[in-house]
Amino acid sequence: MALRAGEISRIYEAYPEKKATLYFLVLGFLAVIVGSLFGPFQALNYGNVDAYPLLKRLLPFVQSYYQGLTLHGVLNAIVFTQLFAQAIMVYLPARELNLRPNMGLMWLSWWMAFLGLGVAALPLLANEATVLYTFYPPLKGHWAFYLGASLFVLSTWVSIYIVLDLWRRWKAQNPGKVTPLVTYMAVVFWLMWFIASIGLVLEAVLFLLPWSFGLIQGVDPLLARTLFWWTGHPIVYFWLLPAYAIIYTVLPKQAGGKLVSDPMARLAFLLFLLLSTPVGFHHQFADPGIDPTWKMIHSVLTLFVAVPSLMTAFTVAASLELAGRMRGGRGLLGWIKALPWDNPAFVAPVLGLLGFIPGGAGGIVNASFTLDYVVHNTAWVPGHFHLQVASLVTLTAMGSLYWLLPNLTGKPISDGQRRLGLAVVWLWFLGMMVMAVGLHWAGLLNVPRRSYIAQVPDAYPQAAVPMVFNVLAGIILLVALLLFIYGLFSILLSRERKPELAEAPVPFAEVLSGPEDRRLVLAMDRIGFWFAVAVILVVLAYGPTLVQLFSHLNPVPGMRLW
């Protein structure tokens, strides 16, 4: 055992990014575990069952449904997704390029995220920042929440620099060569996030922090909402693209095949760079003070951003069919049966993709200028979110553990752990699908989102049937979560190590149609040019409205409701 521990130490000395990546992953999954433990209480609420009095007895610091909802949203949709992105989208390009990232900066980014999370968590747990996931003014939280959240988000800017530095060093060593696929995805992803995060940074620096410190007396709610949604919609792709990177570059290998097209994968990521950010007004269709013309432009651009996901569906489906046929599948659909359905690293992202199909369709409804009014601020909206981040992103992250943890730690996955992983991802998928039906259906029956409806049990008799779906989903997902916790820690705490697993390369898929000698690929590799185009699109889409809003500020004082 001492020999094996020494070999692992040697591997960590050679590849120190493995340990930092493990720290990001573990912290992220701890956040999602804590956040998800509040999930069944949210689901029961939308089943007209008030379980919060029980939760208050178990956890006296939980003062209200809205505090639990804030913790659930912040930990799952902000903390977990960011830490997973900082792990995956730094580690994968580093291993593809076989270059060591700047470890001082990588650990700096982890400590910034850790300290920021700790500072923000204190007022959240003390019920001093019950401002929900969107923290819209005039709801006002404690200054420590805004300060900690700002530090946490700014840690991603360090990750941006780390990956750009890796790319710069590789380009210097390989002049004239096309950027390798995974690195291309990572560079484009982080540049997209840099543009997107500016809105949230401006909101925090110009308004939320000075307001919470008492330096200004009020904040304009419309301007704050606009800056939030500058970041708030592209954050969906901040959640999504690390999962897409795994699905494009690792899933075909797990399936036993190859990625059918390198250029299609690059084009999809490039379109996300261009189209992710100038779309935020489709979240503000009901807000006065924004010209309907600009709302319509953002609506159209939002529909365009569905294109790279449709391209992804085609490319991944073709890659999986190729894998099934390489494994001996015959006939029209025989390739599906031939795929490795006994491997949670394969099954989890595939189930997530299946759930993403109705989620994407629901997103088209949300983006439509007229259809959105039917579902705006109803339970339909969290139903849509759960098909995106809680299904595709979370399932892909869960599945990635079965190849990533051995690669980071040298700890093997036993047959029992693999079978448990299969049970977890199938139960999680089933629970999310049942919940999606219940929430979407309840939304169409005018049940509001983010509301303590269990306090008014007779208010929505028309939604009695979908409420049963939500209760059932909460129970299924709680079972899945408890099994996942057991399975995760059984791997992390295992004493068995096989250094050859940690020394093995990341299981990137081979490419059937590569990037060589293609004008389109060379054009897409001009990332600086496309970044400039993306910036111009954001300035054009937001500039006139922001000038108007900054010229006519209407600050209002803060309030605390819970």
Side-chain angles (χ1 to χ4, degrees), residues 505-529:
V506 172
F508 292 127
E510 296 180 30
V511 176
L512 187 64
S513 174
E516 296 84 4
D517 299 324
R518 297 197 176 205
R519 292 183 180 179
L520 176 61
V521 172
L522 293 173
M524 288 190 292
D525 208 46
R526 298 176 60 191
I527 299 175
F529 169 78

Side-chain angles (χ1 to χ4, degrees), residues 366-388:
N366 299 341
S368 302
F369 208 153
T370 50
L371 292 177
D372 181 71
Y373 284 103
V374 179
V375 299
H376 181 71
N377 272 345
T378 70
W380 170 289
V381 178
H384 168 70
F385 284 165
H386 281 80
L387 286 175
Q388 312 294 77

Side-chain angles (χ1 to χ4, degrees), residues 43-44 46-47 434-435 437-439 442 466-475:
L44 290 173
Y46 275 93
V434 173
M435 175 178 285
V437 171
L439 289 174
M467 286 179 178
V468 174
F469 280 74
N470 292 326
V471 172
L472 180 60
I475 296 170

Side-chain angles (χ1 to χ4, degrees), residues 444-520:
L444 292 174
L445 296 174
N446 300 318
V447 175
R449 68 183 291 207
R450 302 202 289 197
S451 299
Y452 196 2
I453 65 169
Q455 281 194 322
V456 284
D458 300 323
Y460 303 101
Q462 74 276 20
V465 176
M467 286 179 178
V468 174
F469 280 74
N470 292 326
V471 172
L472 180 60
I475 296 170
I476 295 171
L477 288 167
L478 178 59
V479 173
L481 177 63
L482 295 176
L483 291 176
F484 172 73
I485 294 170
Y486 175 80
L488 174 63
F489 283 97
S490 74
I491 299 171
L492 291 175
L493 300 179
S494 170
R495 301 184 67 182
E496 183 181 5
R497 289 182 186 265
K498 294 183 178 180
E500 61 271 20
L501 293 176
E503 290 181 307
V506 172
F508 292 127
E510 296 180 30
V511 176
L512 187 64
S513 174
E516 296 84 4
D517 299 324
R518 297 197 176 205
R519 292 183 180 179
L520 176 61

Side-chain angles (χ1 to χ4, degrees), residues 81 84-85 88-89 92 189 237-247 269 396:
T81 53
F84 183 68
I88 291 296
M89 300 305 269
L92 293 188
F189 165 79
Y237 308 109
F238 184 65
W239 303 337
L240 186 62
L241 293 189
Y244 272 16
I246 292 171
I247 287 167
F269 269 69
T396 302

Side-chain angles (χ1 to χ4, degrees), residues 326-445:
M326 289 175 65
R327 294 171 63 92
R330 298 290 182 266
L332 183 62
L333 299 176
W335 61 272
I336 298 176
K337 185 178 179 180
L339 292 169
W341 295 102
D342 59 345
N343 179 5
F346 166 80
V347 173
V350 170
L351 293 179
L353 286 166
L354 292 176
F356 192 70
I357 295 171
I364 298 297
V365 173
N366 299 341
S368 302
F369 208 153
T370 50
L371 292 177
D372 181 71
Y373 284 103
V374 179
V375 299
H376 181 71
N377 272 345
T378 70
W380 170 289
V381 178
H384 168 70
F385 284 165
H386 281 80
L387 286 175
Q388 312 294 77
V389 66
S391 293
L392 176 58
V393 176
T394 305
L395 279 169
T396 302
M398 287 178 172
S400 71
L401 295 177
Y402 292 89
W403 57 265
L404 187 54
L405 284 180
N407 189 266
L408 296 176
T409 66
K411 296 185 177 184
I413 307 295
S414 69
D415 290 340
Q417 290 167 336
R418 202 175 303 277
R419 288 192 294 271
L420 179 62
L422 281 171
V424 167
V425 299
W426 276 105
L427 282 172
W428 192 271
F429 173 72
L430 175 63
M432 283 300 167
M433 294 307 102
V434 173
M435 175 178 285
V437 171
L439 289 174
H440 281 85
W441 190 354
L444 292 174
L445 296 174

Side-chain angles (χ1 to χ4, degrees), residues 246-267:
I246 292 171
I247 287 167
Y248 270 117
T249 65
V250 177
L251 178 61
K253 178 82 168 183
Q254 297 294 325
K258 301 179 180 181
L259 175 64
V260 298
S261 176
D262 172 299
M264 285 283 281
R266 291 174 190 268
L267 182 58

Side-chain angles (χ1 to χ4, degrees), residues 79 128 170 221 308 353:
V79 176
E128 293 292 334
W170 184 87
L353 286 166

